[in-house]
Amino acid sequence: MNTSIRHRLPLVGAVIALCLGALAPTALAHVAPAPAAHAEAPPADPARELARTAHPLDDLRPLGRMIGSAKVVGIGEATHSSAEFFESKHRIFEYLVEKKGFTSFALEANWSTGLLIDDYVRFGKGDPREILRDEFQNAYRFWNTEEYLDLITWMREHNLRHPGHQVRFMGNDLGYAGPNLFDTVTGHVARTYPRLLPRLQELYRDSRPVGEVDAWMNAYLLKPREERLRMASDVNRALALLERQKPARDREEHAWMLQHARAIAQVGTEFAYDMTGEGIDDAMLYRDRIMAENTVWWQRQTGDRMVLAAHNGHVGYETTMPDKYPRLQGAFLRDALGRDYVSMGASFGRGSFNAHDAGTQGEPIRNFTVGYPAADSSAETLDRVSPRPFYLDLRRTTPAARTWLDVHRPAWLIGTAYPWEGNQAPVRLATSYDLLVHFPEISAARLR
């Protein structure tokens, strides 16, 4: 898969993202006034109707009631690199940890990367600056920010202050399986099933990465498909081999070992798809399904209540690109968890974000700014609700607001690349998310 395609599609971290826009109220037609007794009332202003149930973002107590007893809360973002989206996720997670007993933060990042960050958060192992620098490469480059460093630092400090209420970090994605993942699996096998170790090492030989993340991911994509299919077969045979083994004395350690082996197999399976033709939509479907399955596995294994941080195009329920992106992680999570999953989309009116410049040779990362929303956009209406950031429960609005929310309206699609032809599509807010947070203005995240 070439670099241009990878930046546009949600494969190995290059996520198709949504930035909400919509049609504003239609102007009243110029007609002769009817007699007062038969005059129709003017349509309700949707901004005024939405304001009836809106809550300022600086007060998160109503949000806690909206979330209720949900086990997983997916919080989206309308661009992949704006500070306010990252900062609000940190603030919401901190509130839910301190007031609602949440204990895990899940990110649209690789499973092996999440384990490294979790080791720092729980045990102080490693330097978070180095972990972010070394792990968040390729399409995950947009996570290496001061905002995420602040979150991870806070998590470590929380654990030092509250040894009885530890928080954890996970990555649920499948773009890369780091050496730490292979070492953990083979180390467990060496201790518990030593006779299997030579065979496991043989099956893992070509898939265990060497060198930097970016170079490895790029080289993997350039391998002939026949080679990628063989590598996928090897890592899946390794998983099947381990699944046939009876647990040793520590059943929990065995369960985690199998999940780590499963994560290795997931990466191999994803890279085995045909990335140049019709296989892309199958790869997209597989990726979102697996991200949901990994999240559900973590929640059920740990019992944690979780915040899931990803793009609108992953936490929501309805796809805007069914031909290329058949089903979203949020829909899979709702299937698995029902009301125990709550989705919170994000919107903005104007501001800045970081993205690859799709119109420049080599697609360098640069800062983009978009102005005030168009008069026919939902962002224009949402901007009129309040001059400050606010959030809504889309499940509980006035009838007039529900009517406005229940219409497909044009939406930005700002992922890792901008601009390109897929940057806009229709979104129906009422059925895409349970909750919505809106920022009148955003600023670019602070890349490190």
Side-chain angles (χ1 to χ4, degrees), residues 373-388:
D376 64 346
S377 71
S378 64
E380 187 274 339
T381 297
L382 293 168
D383 270 0
R384 292 192 290 108
V385 172
S386 172
R388 301 172 62 189

Side-chain angles (χ1 to χ4, degrees), residues 24 101 167 212 263 307 313 347 358 370 397 427:
V167 295
E212 290 193 347
V307 162
S347 173
V370 294
T397 59
V427 174

Side-chain angles (χ1 to χ4, degrees), residues 379-411:
E380 187 274 339
T381 297
L382 293 168
D383 270 0
R384 292 192 290 108
V385 172
S386 172
R388 301 172 62 189
F390 66 90
Y391 57 96
L392 296 157
D393 189 335
L394 302 179
R395 304 162 299 183
R396 297 175 178 86
T397 59
T398 69
R402 180 72 186 192
T403 298
W404 183 84
L405 292 165
D406 202 31
V407 175
H408 283 90
R409 304 174 188 277

Side-chain angles (χ1 to χ4, degrees), residues 23-220:
L23 296 173
T26 303
L28 296 176
H30 294 289
V31 297
H38 301 287
E40 294 184 3
D45 179 2
R48 182 176 298 178
E49 292 298 314
L50 293 167
R52 296 178 186 273
T53 55
H55 298 275
L57 190 57
D58 56 11
D59 181 6
L60 294 178
R61 290 172 297 178
L63 180 62
R65 295 191 292 270
M66 294 175 189
I67 290 170
S69 61
K71 294 181 172 66
V72 179
V73 179
I75 305 178
E77 56 203 33
T79 80
H80 250 330
S81 192
S82 293
E84 287 72 15
F85 297 136
F86 296 165
E87 290 168 348
S88 64
K89 293 177 187 189
H90 177 175
R91 184 163 170 267
I92 290 171
F93 180 62
E94 187 171 338
Y95 169 80
L96 293 176
V97 167
E98 295 177 348
K99 302 298 183 182
K100 300 298 178 179
F102 278 60
T103 41
S104 278
F105 186 93
L107 178 62
E108 182 189 335
N110 296 313
W111 182 270
S112 56
T113 299
L115 295 176
L116 293 174
I117 297 175
D118 192 49
D119 276 346
Y120 169 73
V121 165
R122 297 171 69 196
F123 310 118
K125 183 178 178 180
D127 183 333
R129 294 167 180 80
E130 293 180 1
I131 296 172
L132 267 62
R133 180 199 64 203
D134 295 341
E135 292 292 314
F136 290 146
Q137 297 184 20
N138 202 276
Y140 299 97
R141 172 71 179 87
F142 296 96
W143 300 156
N144 185 10
T145 67
E146 294 294 337
E147 291 82 9
Y148 270 118
L149 178 60
D150 289 345
L151 167 66
I152 293 166
T153 300
W154 174 83
M155 292 175 72
R156 176 59 184 158
E157 292 172 349
H158 170 89
N159 284 345
L160 290 173
R161 294 193 306 268
H162 304 282
H165 183 201
Q166 297 283 284
V167 295
R168 301 193 63 175
F169 189 101
M170 79 161 290
N172 71 351
D173 209 353
L174 45 53
Y176 173 78
N180 60 310
L181 210 51
F182 290 84
D183 291 345
T184 300
V185 174
T186 56
H188 178 90
V189 170
R191 293 190 302 274
T192 55
Y193 315 108
R195 63 182 178 80
L196 300 179
L197 186 59
R199 177 58 173 158
L200 192 69
Q201 290 174 327
E202 178 186 1
L203 292 171
Y204 278 164
R205 183 181 62 246
D206 292 337
S207 295
R208 190 184 190 281
V210 293
E212 290 193 347
V213 173
D214 184 63
W216 176 260
M217 291 178 68
N218 288 333
Y220 204 147

Side-chain angles (χ1 to χ4, degrees), residues 159-337:
N159 284 345
L160 290 173
R161 294 193 306 268
H162 304 282
H165 183 201
Q166 297 283 284
V167 295
R168 301 193 63 175
F169 189 101
M170 79 161 290
N172 71 351
D173 209 353
L174 45 53
Y176 173 78
N180 60 310
L181 210 51
F182 290 84
D183 291 345
T184 300
V185 174
T186 56
H188 178 90
V189 170
R191 293 190 302 274
T192 55
Y193 315 108
R195 63 182 178 80
L196 300 179
L197 186 59
R199 177 58 173 158
L200 192 69
Q201 290 174 327
E202 178 186 1
L203 292 171
Y204 278 164
R205 183 181 62 246
D206 292 337
S207 295
R208 190 184 190 281
V210 293
E212 290 193 347
V213 173
D214 184 63
W216 176 260
M217 291 178 68
N218 288 333
Y220 204 147
L221 283 168
L222 293 175
K223 293 178 184 293
R225 188 168 183 230
E226 292 76 13
E227 184 176 354
R228 290 184 278 121
L229 285 167
R230 179 187 57 76
M231 294 168 67
S233 176
D234 284 349
V235 292
N236 277 282
R237 281 191 288 172
L239 174 61
L241 176 65
L242 296 174
E243 287 177 331
R244 292 194 295 269
Q245 308 309 310
K246 293 182 179 180
R249 288 174 296 179
D250 192 332
R251 288 183 171 271
E252 183 174 0
E253 183 182 359
H254 183 83
W256 281 97
M257 179 274 295
L258 285 180
Q259 176 61 17
H260 298 333
R262 195 172 297 121
I264 292 171
Q266 290 166 357
V267 175
T269 301
E270 178 74 356
F271 277 89
Y273 282 101
D274 178 7
M275 303 303 181
T276 62
E278 296 180 356
I280 291 178
D281 55 343
D282 294 330
M284 301 304 100
L285 180 63
Y286 178 75
R287 180 183 179 226
D288 266 50
R289 176 172 67 82
I290 292 302
M291 289 197 295
E293 290 180 1
N294 286 341
T295 303
V296 171
W297 185 91
W298 181 285
Q299 195 284 316
R300 290 175 175 167
Q301 181 68 24
T302 65
D304 291 359
R305 299 185 73 186
M306 304 170 60
V307 162
L308 168 62
H311 203 281
N312 285 348
H314 290 302
V315 303
Y317 300 126
E318 294 185 350
T319 179
T320 61
M321 302 181 71
D323 56 333
K324 289 185 173 64
Y325 205 174
R327 203 158 191 264
L328 306 184
Q329 175 186 203
F332 287 113
L333 285 170
R334 182 170 57 182
D335 288 347
L337 299 175

